[in-house]
Amino acid sequence: MALVGTARPLVALAFIAAFSVAGCASQQELQFGTVDIEAADTRVDYEIELVGAPDDDVESVIEDSLLVYTLQDSGAPSLPHLRRRVETDVATVERILRSEGYYRNSVTQSINVPAVDAPAIDPPADGSGASKAAIRIQIEAGPRFTLASYDIKLTRSIAPLDAPGPETAEAPVGKPAVAAEIVASEARLIEWFKRNGRPYAERLDRRVVADMENSSLDVEVTFDPGPYAYFGGIRYEGAPYIDKAYIDSYRPWEPGEEFSRDQLATFQRKLSTTGVFSFVSVQESQEAREQAAAADEVDLPIIVTMEEAKPQSAGIGVRFSTDKGPAVRFSYEHRNLFGANEQLRSTLDAGLEEQKLQTTFRKPQYLRDGQDLVAGFTVGSEQDDAFDAVFTNLSLGLERRLTPHLRVGLGGEVELANIEDDEGDKETLLFGVPAFVTYDTSDSLLHPTHGVRARAGLTPTAGVFDSTDVAFLAFDSSVALYLPIDEERRYIFATRARFGSIVGEQVDGVPQTRRFYSGGGGSVRGYKFRFIGPLDEEEDPEGGTSVVEVGVELRARVTESIGIVPFFEAGLVEQRSIPLFDESVQMAAGLGFRYHTIAGPVRADFAVPVNPRDVDDSFQFYVSIGQAF
């Protein structure tokens, strides 16, 4: 037994050794690994044929709605999957046809798949060999139904109003029974109820009966008009430092008037544009809404929720030009001085040639809606080639907003000035009655991309100039047009023009501070400030009694923050009331660069005279904030 027990492991070792030797001798190896089994490719590519659509519009809607079209590029995972997709699309086609008034339609489908042993039709470029099926969707639209009647049922009386009829809803009676038009009629009826003092009107039911024999539909719609509503009392929440009487001055209704949500929207829009609120909301109270359902009439309390914006702000700005040098502007504004949005704004300009302090006080809603009381005080001095002056100006007037874009103004002003020119010092005391009209549809103050800005001013003036009585009438007008070239408004064509005329006095009878000048960063770039027009013996500008200016720009945005602006401008100043253009029209061209920021574009313009005189510089350079016009 011991021998046998010992022999078994020896035999096993001998067997293994023999197997190993045999394997080595035959240079064969045993390998163990994984076997990749590729899944069968069942994807089905396909083509589609749609036959029998009643018109091109319906066919377009069908193609945009069906899965077989929207998923065609990726094919179908398998033939059964494709069959389910087509069956689903058939139901979709039937719904579309019914929505267009084809209620007796018939839609069939078929799928033709090549035989298994047939070559693939237009096999894919990747060599997958997926078969390509042919799908045919056949439409029998049948007759298009017309809307035979549109009946309106009300759950309560709306006396003294007459019950609305199909014409009120603009229902398409006698026309194709298109579902979208029928539903739109319901929406128009809801709006009709709201315009007539019933803000809670709602549709309760719609009943549609189809006459298959006559291919027509009869529709009956049931509405609950809701209670008749009046404007109730008004409650203000928030903004404790704003005078409620001032807020009330914008309210377009009186308590007890017929309720209108359009009036609520108008009130909220007016308050939002005052600049005194950071948030404002105007709506009827929620409690009133909940109680309205059970009443025939209801007074709706109005709640105005407000948050006051920060009333004060201060700022500083810097500009530079080669003709006037550097200048700094400091500004301060208070937008709620006495609690009724009274606005006080002061600016201090400090430059090498001009120093000026200007303060303006504006009281909105003065005596009537849309009318402002405006008072101004200016004191300053100027020293340039045209003249040196120290002046003080006081003004008081009314401005009225006639429409959102149209504004007019009328006031009075007094100006006291000491003017020094080549002939010595001249004292000036002037009284004027300035009037103006402005029209502005532009979309931005600093970077307009579309719209029009126009202003015309007329100022009769009388007083004393250099111990001589003077009286004259000054007219000054300007217009700017902004046209976007592309939809993104990256390219803007901008153009402007100005015309001014003074009648009643020769140029020597008009103080230098009131004459017309041209040239510089605000008029014709490329020329020194006020240097276009007649010059005296010392080649200093004299000014004139008429002025004409034109300018064009192409504002191109190269990147989101960088822009370039090629421009051309021209100006003329003459010492007669009506320019005859017998004097030189000074022209200039240039290129500007813009760096666009949230606050507005930073502007750098380089301009050269096109037809310079001997006295003109070879170029001018300007740096400021905002577009040139």
Side-chain angles (χ1 to χ4, degrees):
M1 294 295 292
L3 178 60
V4 173
T6 305
R8 288 182 177 176
L10 293 175
V11 173
L13 289 173
F15 180 79
I16 293 173
F19 184 84
S20 300
V21 171
C24 292
S26 62
Q27 297 183 350
Q28 292 179 353
E29 296 179 353
L30 284 181
Q31 296 180 347
F32 297 88
T34 59
V35 178
D36 293 332
I37 302 177
E38 295 185 0
D41 185 3
T42 61
R43 195 191 75 184
V44 180
D45 290 341
Y46 55 85
E47 295 177 338
I48 311 165
E49 183 184 14
L50 180 65
V51 181
D55 58 53
D56 292 341
D57 291 339
V58 174
E59 182 174 2
S60 178
V61 172
I62 291 173
E63 291 178 351
D64 291 340
S65 304
L66 299 192
L67 293 174
V68 291
Y69 282 104
T70 59
L71 301 177
Q72 183 177 13
D73 291 343
S74 58
S78 64
L79 184 59
H81 191 102
L82 180 60
R83 294 189 187 281
R84 290 192 298 270
R85 183 182 296 178
V86 175
E87 290 170 359
T88 300
D89 282 344
V90 166
T92 300
V93 174
E94 292 172 345
R95 288 194 299 270
I96 292 172
L97 292 171
R98 287 195 297 271
S99 72
E100 294 294 328
Y102 300 97
Y103 288 87
R104 286 165 56 186
N105 66 75
S106 173
V107 183
T108 58
Q109 56 85 13
S110 62
I111 302 177
N112 182 26
V113 182
V116 175
D117 56 352
I121 304 173
D122 297 331
D126 59 7
S128 61
S131 59
K132 197 161 193 177
I135 299 172
R136 179 184 174 89
I137 298 177
Q138 177 72 49
I139 296 174
E140 297 293 338
R144 197 174 200 182
F145 281 48
T146 59
L147 182 62
S149 65
Y150 189 87
D151 294 329
I152 301 169
K153 305 295 183 182
L154 304 181
T155 60
R156 66 176 87 189
S157 171
I158 60 171
L161 289 176
D162 294 331
E167 65 282 353
T168 307
E170 300 179 25
V173 177
K175 298 179 180 179
V178 178
E181 291 297 324
I182 296 173
V183 173
S185 299
E186 299 171 3
R188 285 190 284 268
L189 271 176
I190 293 294
E191 288 302 315
W192 182 84
F193 285 121
K194 291 180 178 179
R195 288 196 305 271
N196 286 278
R198 297 180 179 272
Y200 304 116
E202 60 178 336
R203 180 186 66 81
L204 300 180
D205 186 38
R206 181 197 306 124
R207 184 169 176 266
V208 181
V209 177
D211 186 338
M212 294 298 180
E213 182 177 347
N214 295 314
S215 300
S216 64
L217 286 186
D218 296 296
V219 176
E220 180 183 280
V221 188
T222 303
F223 290 88
D224 178 8
Y228 187 80
Y230 302 89
F231 279 110
I234 189 166
R235 185 170 80 244
Y236 296 106
E237 298 180 352
Y241 300 109
I242 300 179
D243 186 0
K244 302 306 181 287
Y246 163 72
I247 302 173
D248 254 356
S249 68
Y250 289 100
R251 192 183 65 214
W253 74 84
E254 294 295 332
E257 289 185 7
E258 180 180 278
F259 178 82
S260 166
R261 284 209 176 93
D262 290 341
Q263 297 280 54
L264 292 185
T266 298
F267 190 23
Q268 179 169 317
R269 183 177 63 254
K270 286 184 174 182
L271 293 179
S272 298
T273 57
T274 62
V276 75
F277 300 105
S278 62
F279 169 81
V280 61
S281 171
V282 181
Q283 59 184 353
E284 71 267 34
S285 70
Q286 185 63 40
E287 295 81 0
R289 295 184 188 183
E290 296 172 354
Q291 297 170 2
D296 291 328
E297 294 184 353
V298 60
D299 288 330
L300 293 179
I302 306 302
I303 300 176
V304 180
T305 306
M306 306 166 290
E307 291 182 6
E308 183 181 0
K310 292 182 179 181
Q312 301 183 66
S313 61
I316 182 172
V318 179
R319 65 179 184 271
F320 171 82
S321 62
T322 49
D323 59 346
K324 299 184 68 176
V328 181
R329 168 171 287 187
F330 303 92
S331 64
Y332 168 79
E333 184 176 16
H334 197 302
R335 289 173 292 276
N336 194 31
L337 195 62
F338 303 121
N341 197 20
E342 298 90 351
Q343 301 158 28
L344 179 70
R345 179 175 176 82
S346 293
T347 59
L348 174 62
D349 292 298
L352 299 180
E353 296 184 352
E354 181 183 37
Q355 305 81 39
K356 183 172 63 176
L357 174 64
Q358 184 174 13
T359 299
T360 303
F361 173 80
R362 181 182 296 271
K363 182 174 177 56
Q365 300 295 93
Y366 182 72
L367 299 180
R368 60 176 295 167
D369 182 33
Q371 180 168 277
D372 298 350
L373 175 69
V374 183
F377 169 74
T378 303
V379 59
S381 65
E382 294 185 52
Q383 309 87 31
D384 63 18
D385 295 308
F387 61 87
D388 294 346
V390 177
F391 56 89
T392 301
N393 183 285
L394 295 172
S395 63
L396 182 67
L398 295 175
E399 295 183 9
R400 183 178 299 174
R401 184 180 61 256
L402 301 181
T403 72
H405 305 297
L406 184 64
R407 195 175 188 91
V408 297
L410 178 66
E413 65 173 349
V414 180
E415 181 173 288
L416 179 64
N418 178 276
I419 302 173
E420 180 182 352
D421 60 11
D422 296 338
E423 299 177 359
D425 292 347
K426 299 177 181 180
E427 298 292 336
T428 299
L429 177 61
L430 300 177
F431 300 89
V433 184
F436 73 87
V437 57
T438 64
Y439 181 76
D440 190 347
T441 62
S442 62
D443 59 336
S444 172
L445 178 62
L446 297 178
H447 180 54
T449 62
H450 73 94
V452 175
R453 286 181 188 167
R455 178 184 175 90
L458 186 68
T459 306
T461 303
V464 178
F465 172 49
D466 194 22
S467 302
T468 302
D469 293 338
V470 295
F472 53 89
L473 180 67
F475 173 76
D476 197 359
S477 63
S478 62
V479 61
L481 176 65
Y482 311 99
L483 296 174
I485 298 176
D486 61 325
E487 293 183 0
E488 294 77 16
R489 297 183 181 177
R490 299 180 66 89
Y491 300 92
I492 308 297
F493 174 78
T495 182
R496 72 173 187 91
R498 179 193 179 196
F499 172 75
S501 176
I502 297 175
V503 298
E505 292 283 352
Q506 299 296 322
V507 67
D508 292 338
V510 179
Q512 284 89 335
T513 55
R514 295 302 182 101
R515 298 175 189 175
F516 288 124
Y517 300 90
S518 184
S523 57
V524 181
R525 288 162 285 181
Y527 292 86
K528 291 180 64 176
F529 181 59
R530 294 175 172 169
F531 241 75
I532 291 177
L535 305 177
D536 62 18
E537 295 178 354
E538 297 184 3
E539 296 186 333
D540 291 331
E542 293 183 319
T545 51
S546 63
V547 62
V548 177
E549 294 176 354
V550 294
V552 293
E553 287 189 346
L554 177 60
R555 300 170 182 173
R557 203 144 177 173
V558 180
T559 68
E560 287 302 314
S561 57
I562 302 297
I564 59 172
V565 181
F567 57 87
F568 175 85
E569 294 174 332
L572 170 73
V573 174
E574 294 190 10
Q575 292 184 344
R576 53 173 63 92
S577 299
I578 301 299
L580 300 180
F581 294 90
D582 57 355
E583 299 183 19
S584 175
V585 176
Q586 301 305 131
M587 296 176 287
L591 182 65
F593 298 89
R594 304 291 183 267
Y595 181 74
H596 293 271
T597 68
I598 297 177
V602 177
R603 172 166 62 97
D605 290 334
F606 178 84
V608 298
V610 173
N611 56 334
R613 302 160 298 182
D614 292 339
V615 70
D616 293 321
D617 294 335
S618 57
F619 71 91
Q620 297 291 338
F621 181 67
Y622 311 89
V623 177
S624 186
I625 295 177
Q627 298 288 1
F629 59 88

